[in-house]
Amino acid sequence: MISLDTHLPIILIATPILLASLMVLLRKQPGIQKILSVSVSFVMFIVSILLLLQVWSGGIQVYEVGEWGKYGIMLVADLLSSGMVVLTSFVSFLALIYSLDYIEEKSLSASYYPLFSLLVAGLNGSFLTGDIFNLFVFFEILLLSSCGLVIANEKGGVTKSSDKMEATFKYLVLNMLSSIVMLIAVASLYATTGTLNMADISVKLSAMSAAGTLPWYVFAIALMFVVVFGNKAAIFPLHYWLPDVHPTAPSPISAMLSGVLIKVGAYGMLRVFFLIFIDTLYIFKPVIIYLALATIVVGAISAVAQTDVKRLLAYSSVSQIGYVFLGIGFGSVYGLTAALVYLVNHAFAKSMLFLTSGGIIHHAGTRDMRKMGGMVDSAPLMSMMFLVGAMSIAGLPPMGGFIAKFQLFDAGITEKYYFEIAIALIFAVFTLFYMFRAMLLMFWGEKRDVNEHGEYSTHGTSPLIALPIIMLALGVVVFGLYAEPLIAFANATANQILDPQLYIDAVMTRVVR
Amino acid sequence: MNNTLLSLTIAILFGIGTFLILRRDIVRVIIGLGVLSHAVNLLIVSTGVFAGTKVPIITDDGGHGAAEATGTIFTDSLSQGILAPVLAAGNHVDFVDPLVQALVLTAIVISLATTAFILILAYRIYEEYGTTDIKELRRLWG
């Protein structure tokens, strides 16, 4: 009898991959597919919580795949990665429930479940891996599976498939370029240090730095990683693919993409810069801060002008990820705590808003906000939930977004970044403006029955669509009213990130067998 | 990377790839991505032991007694400035670094998968619009 609790990290990656191949075989039995994938997703959520508890009580967990010691591929679960895995599992479980009623039957049974499992495997893998080349491999799994999922059709054909294909083409080309850049960076790191293990690279680079022989091109490699993770997270000069891809994807996939997938960029930035390139951070802190500010400004200004509800939410994601990167750029314990709290709150609120927008689009029969109106009477649940999400994104109490923004601005003021905080504050007001403009257009005013002569056939709200939205809304409100556990957890995580020695000690004690 | 000709080849391939991905035709963009990914594959191979006798790693030529290696592939000694997984200087190396070959195989397979996906996507776009010109595909601009 193998004890399972020492194998939790690999279970989180292997199960979805196995499930994906099983789902391909079961494509003729949609009933079994639905039950199996939702229940496995729930089990994965439980397993991820178990892993988090294990890390919380027992310190950083290291799993050696193939027992090659530090020279093989390792999975490392610290508080940051296991926390991100819990977030991924929760959002993906809810998105799967939502898609039972939302995605068209034909694409649901053909390719949806295998690709969704692969997406989850890619997310868990890129959070848990301790090997920088493996991070690249999981990024590619993420990229390909999310491309396939963007093309999946929802009921009623809300988005033209030609639009989806153009958006996917753009997404694929830009992300292939960024993976080429990432390969160049990984190859250069290997040529410099002769290892791919992140903890090992960190040890060797800091030894070089202590000896004063840190080569100049380490800074160039670090800049390449800024480009790669910036592209994943869609920060300012690299965000042009996001406002096309996230709106054209079906709503549960938009929720996964905007809620969790762009956080991979923030995770990679935290992992790579606070573990490996910690000696170059004094140059890159201002770079990250000013890119984040530009992201906030560009995203907020573009969101104001949108008429398509999902496009507005996508531009809002661009703006919000800027706040996360602002916290990362401060680089202090308080700043990182704020960034993590912000990240979790944004994941909940934005996933919820995208799921809600799916319900709204199907209710109104159009994506154009100018053609909607008076939905507070005809769709009370959706309008209430949109209000909860909009208040959280705009940072109004008592929602989680208020706590997150408060922490972030307080961290910035403590660190004396007054000018940066002033800009972020001005564009936080923009958030309020575009969110409530959307509220005004969609829910208030004269009631218009676009339902009957809309361009799309409709699909009403079912309990399976309402349930995930309500659960995420509960999360948003709970994080706002009872935020202490989340803040305490984020604080512990930030302390762990800023002390890379813990990570190195956990990994580097391994020997070759 | 001690081979000038190899470096030059990689540089020229990067140049051709960059030129091609800036074209207006999406088929040329895809060919450009293929050329770029093969340039990267060459770069990865070139970071390993290429000639079969030398290690591509920062070695300490100052003579700290780096030759007292145990002979295994996993020797590294931070105090002596050896950052390598391979052999210390002075030992004869008969084999090529196996890790870069594993890396480049993975990279080739992944670029095959993405290229196959993007070719099918380009074909469907051509079916839908009857053109492969980026200027006529509105969403690729905005």
Side-chain angles (χ1 to χ4, degrees):
Chain A
M1 180 67 196
I2 321 160
S3 100
L4 276 180
D5 43 328
T6 54
H7 295 276
L8 292 181
I10 195 73
I11 288 175
L12 282 164
I13 299 170
T15 318
I17 294 180
L18 283 176
L19 186 71
S21 40
L22 197 63
M23 285 297 152
V24 174
L25 294 177
L26 285 175
R27 58 193 299 166
K28 294 276 162 55
Q29 279 97 10
I32 302 176
Q33 267 189 334
K34 283 179 182 175
I35 295 166
L36 201 61
S37 70
V38 172
S39 46
V40 168
S41 180
F42 183 69
V43 171
M44 296 268 298
F45 177 50
I46 303 290
V47 171
S48 65
I49 288 179
L50 287 179
L51 178 67
L52 181 62
L53 291 177
Q54 216 175 62
V55 174
W56 182 257
S57 58
I60 299 176
Q61 304 284 313
V62 181
Y63 186 83
E64 300 170 35
V65 183
E67 302 194 338
W68 281 100
K70 66 170 183 164
Y71 299 104
I73 292 168
M74 343 198 68
L75 304 177
V76 185
D78 64 346
L79 283 177
L80 175 65
S81 48
S82 53
M84 296 295 281
V85 167
V86 171
L87 188 68
T88 310
S89 313
F90 185 61
V91 175
S92 63
F93 172 58
L94 294 179
L96 264 180
I97 293 181
Y98 188 91
S99 40
L100 288 180
D101 258 12
Y102 189 81
I103 303 289
E104 200 178 59
E105 293 295 326
K106 202 173 153 221
S107 59
L108 198 59
S109 55
S111 59
Y112 188 79
Y113 286 125
L115 289 173
F116 199 96
S117 299
L118 281 180
L119 182 68
V120 174
L123 283 166
N124 286 348
S126 46
F127 291 140
L128 287 175
T129 184
D131 181 281
I132 199 146
F133 189 79
N134 227 18
L135 189 66
F136 162 77
V137 174
F138 282 118
F139 272 11
E140 293 298 294
I141 294 178
L142 277 183
L143 172 64
L144 279 182
S145 55
S146 58
C147 281
L149 285 170
V150 169
I151 299 182
N153 280 319
E154 62 263 80
K155 275 179 184 162
V158 173
T159 316
K160 279 190 293 184
S161 57
S162 52
D163 282 3
K164 290 184 184 208
M165 281 185 296
E166 272 180 77
T168 314
F169 187 82
K170 194 154 134 183
Y171 178 49
L172 201 50
V173 169
L174 290 176
N175 276 278
M176 276 170 86
L177 275 176
S178 94
S179 42
I180 285 168
V181 172
M182 184 167 180
L183 266 183
I184 298 171
V186 169
S188 319
L189 261 187
Y190 180 70
T192 312
T193 60
T195 174
L196 290 166
N197 187 309
M198 290 202 255
D200 208 5
I201 297 175
S202 170
V203 168
K204 287 175 178 174
L205 283 186
S206 56
M208 275 189 222
S209 179
T213 54
L214 195 67
W216 62 270
Y217 47 80
V218 168
F219 292 90
I221 298 171
L223 190 61
M224 281 189 204
F225 276 109
V226 172
V227 172
V228 171
F229 296 130
N231 191 18
K232 281 282 163 205
I235 63 174
F236 159 59
L238 309 156
H239 74 278
Y240 289 100
W241 53 272
L242 187 139
D244 280 329
V245 176
H246 288 199
T248 48
S251 294
I253 300 306
S254 307
M256 282 294 284
L257 294 179
S258 265
V260 190
L261 192 65
I262 58 171
K263 268 58 170 202
V264 171
Y267 166 82
M269 206 70 122
L270 282 171
R271 176 61 77 229
V272 163
F273 274 89
F274 288 88
L275 179 66
I276 299 177
F277 296 116
I278 198 140
D279 297 311
T280 67
L281 207 56
Y282 67 96
I283 289 184
F284 285 101
K285 262 182 195 171
V287 171
I288 295 173
I289 288 178
Y290 285 100
L291 283 179
L293 281 180
T295 312
I296 293 170
V297 172
V298 170
I301 290 179
S302 316
V304 169
Q306 299 306 315
T307 54
D308 178 334
V309 49
K310 284 182 80 173
R311 227 175 142 80
L312 174 122
L313 293 177
Y315 271 116
S316 154
S317 276
V318 174
S319 172
Q320 301 294 311
I321 201 77
Y323 287 98
V324 177
F325 273 79
L326 194 62
I328 295 175
F330 292 156
S332 60
V333 178
Y334 200 10
L336 289 188
T337 309
L340 290 168
V341 171
Y342 207 102
L343 195 152
V344 174
N345 274 306
H346 177 247
F348 272 73
K350 193 47 68 71
S351 307
M352 190 188 115
L353 278 175
F354 266 113
L355 293 183
T356 315
S357 75
I360 289 167
I361 290 167
H362 277 283
H363 182 82
T366 176
R367 300 171 63 130
D368 195 337
M369 290 193 291
R370 290 168 302 185
K371 292 184 187 158
M372 299 177 191
M375 278 172 70
V376 72
D377 288 332
S378 55
L381 176 74
M382 288 302 163
S383 50
M384 195 177 91
M385 291 300 144
F386 195 90
L387 180 67
V388 170
M391 280 171 77
S392 183
I393 293 287
L396 296 184
M399 305 304 168
F402 168 70
I403 306 286
K405 274 212 173 69
F406 178 80
Q407 288 249 319
L408 186 65
F409 293 153
D410 194 33
I413 289 169
T414 319
E415 299 286 309
K416 299 196 171 52
Y417 287 105
Y418 298 119
F419 169 68
E420 289 82 354
I421 289 301
I423 291 185
L425 203 57
I426 290 169
F427 286 90
V429 178
F430 267 63
T431 318
L432 201 67
F433 175 66
Y434 64 70
M435 275 300 171
F436 283 86
R437 176 174 160 271
M439 283 288 302
L440 204 73
L441 284 172
M442 285 193 288
F443 300 120
W444 292 350
E446 148 193 23
K447 188 178 176 185
R448 296 191 211 178
D449 234 351
V450 281
N451 226 340
E452 284 156 27
H453 36 82
E455 45 189 314
Y456 311 114
S457 60
T458 59
H459 176 255
T461 311
S462 72
L464 282 180
I465 285 186
L467 177 74
I469 300 178
I470 293 172
M471 286 184 72
L472 283 168
L474 275 180
V476 169
V477 176
V478 165
F479 284 150
L481 294 178
Y482 184 50
E484 284 84 0
L486 178 67
I487 293 173
F489 176 73
N491 193 28
T493 312
N495 276 315
Q496 205 178 61
I497 293 169
L498 283 173
D499 189 5
Q501 199 55 45
L502 291 173
Y503 189 99
I504 292 167
D505 286 343
V507 174
M508 295 294 284
T509 53
R510 313 284 139 171
V511 287
V512 189
R513 286 176 219 183
Chain B
M1 216 188 298
N2 46 9
N3 195 328
T4 318
L5 192 62
L6 182 70
S7 312
L8 204 61
T9 313
I10 294 170
I12 289 172
L13 279 179
F14 267 111
I16 294 173
T18 314
F19 175 76
L20 279 173
I21 60 170
L22 294 174
R23 297 293 92 193
R24 267 175 50 184
D25 189 9
I26 58 176
V27 178
R28 286 182 200 195
V29 173
I30 294 170
I31 295 172
L33 284 172
V35 172
L36 273 184
S37 66
H38 285 294
V40 173
N41 291 343
L42 272 180
L43 179 74
I44 297 173
V45 174
S46 72
T47 59
V49 182
F50 194 65
T53 51
K54 283 225 176 84
V55 201
I57 300 146
I58 302 173
T59 48
D60 192 355
D61 293 331
H64 286 294
E68 47 172 270
T70 54
T72 65
I73 193 169
F74 291 129
T75 309
D76 60 13
S77 158
L78 273 183
S79 58
Q80 295 174 354
I82 307 169
L83 300 170
V86 199
L87 290 178
N91 283 39
H92 181 65
V93 186
D94 285 329
F95 49 84
V96 177
D97 188 355
L99 192 58
V100 285
Q101 303 195 359
L103 298 190
V104 88
L105 271 176
T106 317
I108 287 171
V109 171
I110 288 171
S111 83
L112 171 80
T114 41
T115 311
F117 193 102
I118 203 167
L119 274 175
I120 294 168
L121 202 62
Y123 177 68
R124 282 286 292 131
I125 287 174
Y126 175 69
E127 268 191 344
E128 204 80 34
Y129 293 89
T131 177
T132 54
D133 190 340
I134 285 178
K135 279 213 161 163
E136 294 175 34
L137 305 173
R138 182 181 47 86
R139 271 174 183 275
L140 296 186
W141 280 96

